[in-house]
Amino acid sequence: MKTFLNRLKSFIQKVVEALKHFLFSTKTKKTLLILDRFHFNTNNVCGHHLFLLDIKTKHLKELHIPRVTNSDMGYKIIASCNGLLCIAHYSLDQYSTLFLWNPTTKQTKRIIEQQRQPLLLPPNCLIGFYESDGFYIVRFHSFENTKTSYAIRGEKYSLSKGVWREIKGCDQNLILKGDLFWTENTVTVTETLFWVAMEVNEKVSHEMIISFNSFNNVISKIEMPNNSSKDYVEVYKKLAVYNYKGSSSVALMTCSESKNMEQCLDLWVLCDEYEDIEYWIKVHTIGMFSRLQRPVGVWKNEIFMATNRKIHSVGRVVAFLPEDDIDAEFSYNSLDYEERFFPLNDAVEIDLIGSEGFLLI
């Protein structure tokens, strides 16, 4: 009798979740961004905040990352994909460092590590999250192959199967000259993931973009665009997705500074129109700015920038940030987000989202 009641309860829960998903899918989806802000002041006091921004209504809401471990070592947002966030929680517990979170349903799911593998988290590895007939997490790390070269090992986690599998032969065309470190954000264009990374050894510190084609499991290295101006020094960069000539392309926003402390922002797009030869083209230059600006992201081909108090495009303010102790050192990542009632199997509901509601801008 007890078994029957449990099965009936489980069936009813599944029906309710399916009904929620149907009703929600018939509503007009909101245009939302996740704003991930990191900063530290002159006393080296760090701060990390997550905000949900409704661009159409200009409402802002702070999100609170669920604690999946007892660690206070912080976290890194890996990516946002169809209503789910992939997050790395820095912890000494290798069985609970990666997890998925649905802010809409308030559910989390830990990604179990293989016991035989060492603990690998950014910046010592590249991690990506995407959907292609299911949700997948990929992870790449470097290791010394010979005294003069380094190789990459790749792994892929399937949410439906719940296991990690090695990606064999993914680095056949990739030659590294040092250990690989992830230095910035990641974006996904169609079936390809991109990271800003560095290869580092005793003599070399070289920054580039690493790409991974999830369709054919090929990982490649892309050189940065060449800024020929000697009057400016590049101080900041960020990956984005930009619609160029009718198709989505990976873009790079670079912020440069002159000797007079003035700044400008360039937007580069990676093109491969001619016989699959990739090259960078500069499509926008914005500035000069007399005070600190940081690139945030691109939304519907609008370039978002940030000061320490607001996020704006060229013609309008997008969001005012809450007043707090932010000095000159800060950065933002932006991630597209859609509210979805996607259930996480074996998930734990953790209600740690702020309950004050939206702050009207």
Side-chain angles (χ1 to χ4, degrees):
M1 183 67 179
K2 188 175 182 180
T3 302
F4 172 76
L5 291 176
N6 289 337
R7 289 179 179 176
L8 180 61
K9 182 179 179 181
S10 177
F11 174 76
I12 293 174
Q13 287 177 342
K14 290 181 180 179
V15 171
V16 171
E17 290 297 329
L19 183 60
K20 279 183 180 180
H21 180 75
F22 172 76
L23 293 175
F24 185 81
S25 63
T26 59
K27 296 180 181 180
T28 302
K29 292 184 178 180
K30 294 180 180 180
T31 303
L32 301 172
L33 285 181
I34 297 286
L35 300 176
D36 184 18
R37 181 180 71 186
F38 176 83
H39 69 272
F40 61 92
N41 60 24
T42 53
N43 296 321
N44 290 324
V45 177
C46 298
H48 199 169
H49 297 87
L50 204 65
F51 301 98
L52 185 66
L53 172 65
D54 187 329
I55 295 179
K56 292 182 179 180
T57 62
K58 292 190 175 182
H59 285 176
L60 191 71
K61 179 181 181 180
E62 186 170 1
L63 301 178
H64 300 281
I65 296 291
R67 289 175 63 97
V68 296
T69 73
N70 294 324
S71 172
D72 293 320
M73 296 172 65
Y75 63 89
K76 179 177 178 62
I77 306 296
I78 304 299
S80 170
C81 181
N82 287 339
L84 298 181
L85 296 185
C86 181
I87 301 170
H89 191 168
Y90 292 97
S91 168
L92 299 179
D93 178 5
Q94 72 177 50
Y95 294 104
S96 58
T97 54
L98 281 176
F99 69 98
L100 301 180
W101 177 39
N102 187 333
T104 302
T105 65
K106 307 172 187 177
Q107 291 179 316
T108 64
K109 180 178 177 63
R110 297 182 183 185
I111 307 303
I112 301 301
E113 300 287 343
Q114 295 180 5
Q115 187 174 359
R116 63 181 177 86
Q117 298 299 333
L119 176 66
L120 290 171
L121 285 177
N124 297 306
C125 67
L126 312 178
I127 300 181
F129 178 52
Y130 68 97
E131 183 180 19
S132 177
D133 296 325
F135 290 95
Y136 297 92
I137 298 172
V138 291
R139 178 168 57 190
F140 300 96
H141 71 274
S142 61
F143 59 93
E144 192 171 2
N145 193 24
T146 67
K147 292 183 178 180
T148 58
S149 67
Y150 292 74
I152 279 185
R153 185 179 188 274
E155 301 167 293
K156 180 185 292 187
Y157 176 87
S158 168
L159 180 60
S160 61
K161 296 180 180 179
V163 293
W164 288 92
R165 300 291 187 193
E166 184 177 355
I167 307 173
K168 297 183 182 293
C170 62
D171 63 338
Q172 292 181 355
N173 300 317
L174 182 68
I175 299 176
L176 288 178
K177 299 178 181 178
D179 280 314
L180 191 64
F181 291 92
W182 183 9
T183 63
E184 251 303 329
N185 63 319
T186 178
V187 299
T188 301
V189 180
T190 58
E191 296 178 325
T192 304
L193 289 73
F194 299 86
W195 298 265
V196 177
M198 294 188 73
E199 51 183 357
V200 179
N201 62 29
E202 294 179 354
K203 299 180 180 179
V204 175
S205 180
H206 176 232
E207 194 170 32
M208 71 280 188
I209 294 172
I210 297 291
S211 69
F212 172 69
N213 188 315
S214 63
F215 177 74
N216 56 22
N217 287 339
V218 172
I219 190 166
S220 307
K221 180 165 60 174
I222 303 170
E223 295 299 330
M224 293 288 186
N226 182 23
N227 191 348
S228 58
S229 176
K230 297 181 180 179
D231 297 327
Y232 292 88
V233 177
E234 187 179 283
V235 294
Y236 205 76
K237 60 173 61 69
K238 189 169 294 295
L239 287 171
V241 179
Y242 190 82
N243 191 302
Y244 182 69
K245 295 186 176 181
S247 61
S248 296
S249 303
V250 64
L252 183 71
M253 296 183 290
T254 61
C255 186
S256 302
E257 190 173 75
S258 70
K259 296 178 181 179
N260 297 325
M261 305 297 288
E262 293 180 321
Q263 294 182 336
C264 66
L265 188 145
D266 295 323
L267 179 72
W268 301 81
V269 172
L270 185 66
C271 301
D272 59 353
E273 296 175 297
Y274 304 108
E275 299 180 354
D276 293 329
I277 298 176
E278 293 181 329
Y279 63 96
W280 292 98
I281 181 171
K282 188 189 294 187
V283 296
H284 287 294
T285 296
I286 305 174
M288 308 294 277
F289 302 115
S290 60
R291 64 176 183 170
L292 182 67
Q293 301 278 342
R294 293 293 175 92
V296 174
V298 174
W299 178 78
K300 291 188 176 181
N301 278 24
E302 278 193 85
I303 301 171
F304 289 168
M305 298 163 287
T307 65
N308 58 349
R309 292 285 181 251
K310 65 182 180 180
I311 294 176
H312 62 94
S313 63
V314 175
R316 64 189 178 115
V317 172
V318 177
F320 287 105
L321 279 304
E323 297 283 338
D324 54 18
D325 182 23
I326 299 182
D327 205 342
E329 297 297 329
F330 64 94
S331 64
Y332 288 90
N333 284 331
S334 67
L335 307 100
D336 293 341
Y337 179 75
E338 288 185 355
E339 294 176 326
R340 289 187 61 192
F341 284 92
F342 181 86
L344 289 170
N345 296 329
D346 303 322
V348 177
E349 291 192 12
I350 305 178
D351 188 4
L352 291 181
I353 299 180
S355 59
E356 292 86 0
F358 287 107
L359 301 174
L360 183 61
I361 297 178

